[in-house]
Amino acid sequence: MLVRGVGEMSNRKSAAPCGCPVAAFQKMISGKYKLRIVWDLKDGPLRYGEIRTGLLRGAEGTQEIAPRVLSRELKALTQSGLIDRKDFGVVPPKVEYRLTRKGRSFIPVISAIRKWGARHLSQAGNGETADRTAAG
């Protein structure tokens, strides 16, 4: 049986938000569209409308994403440091989103998820097709 001292418990509580990398990672990418947005940005910067259009392609039966939801997902990805938002300051507004170094380092992880999904979801016979992926 492991017994912790008082000092250990207080240190553990202060480290709780960063204590588990899996939980922190899960919180960072939680949301219906975040993985797909990051994946779509792998080939270069995209504008808001291009991202929105990309989320609709290849997603049978998917409803159109609400602008408010997409804006919230983009803002969260920007705050987490996975993407960068560049506002050109012109009228009409022109804004581009691109992956940061941190975001680019995440692409191999999404690629592995796609490969796993293609391999296992198609074998499960649950209606998912091999060409549909976790990232879109």
Side-chain angles (χ1 to χ4, degrees):
M1 183 171 159
L2 179 65
V3 178
R4 291 194 170 107
V6 175
E8 288 179 83
M9 284 302 282
S10 63
N11 288 343
R12 187 168 186 243
K13 284 181 185 176
S14 65
C18 299
C20 177
V22 174
F25 174 77
Q26 182 179 15
K27 184 176 181 182
M28 183 175 67
I29 61 153
S30 67
K32 187 174 181 179
Y33 302 101
K34 287 180 185 164
L35 286 176
R36 293 178 60 193
I37 291 168
V38 171
W39 183 254
D40 284 349
L41 288 170
K42 76 183 181 318
D43 295 323
L46 295 172
R47 294 181 65 180
Y48 178 93
E50 294 169 321
I51 294 170
R52 188 168 187 218
T53 301
L55 291 174
L56 297 176
R57 108 184 102 77
E60 300 164 14
T62 301
Q63 293 181 347
E64 193 169 311
I65 183 172
R68 185 172 154 188
V69 173
L70 179 54
S71 294
R72 185 178 61 222
E73 297 282 72
L74 290 168
K75 184 175 182 178
L77 286 167
T78 302
Q79 290 174 339
S80 69
L82 290 175
I83 67 172
D84 187 37
R85 179 183 189 272
K86 181 178 182 182
D87 188 339
F88 289 86
V90 295
V91 177
K94 180 180 178 183
V95 177
E96 281 185 348
Y97 296 90
R98 67 184 68 225
L99 291 176
T100 61
R101 181 178 299 171
K102 182 178 177 181
R104 285 189 303 276
S105 74
F106 186 47
I107 294 301
V109 176
I110 301 174
S111 181
I113 292 169
R114 291 182 72 220
K115 289 175 186 171
W116 185 93
R119 192 173 333 123
H120 295 287
L121 295 178
S122 64
Q123 292 174 359
N126 62 1
E128 296 289 328
T129 59
D131 60 342
R132 281 196 57 199
T133 63

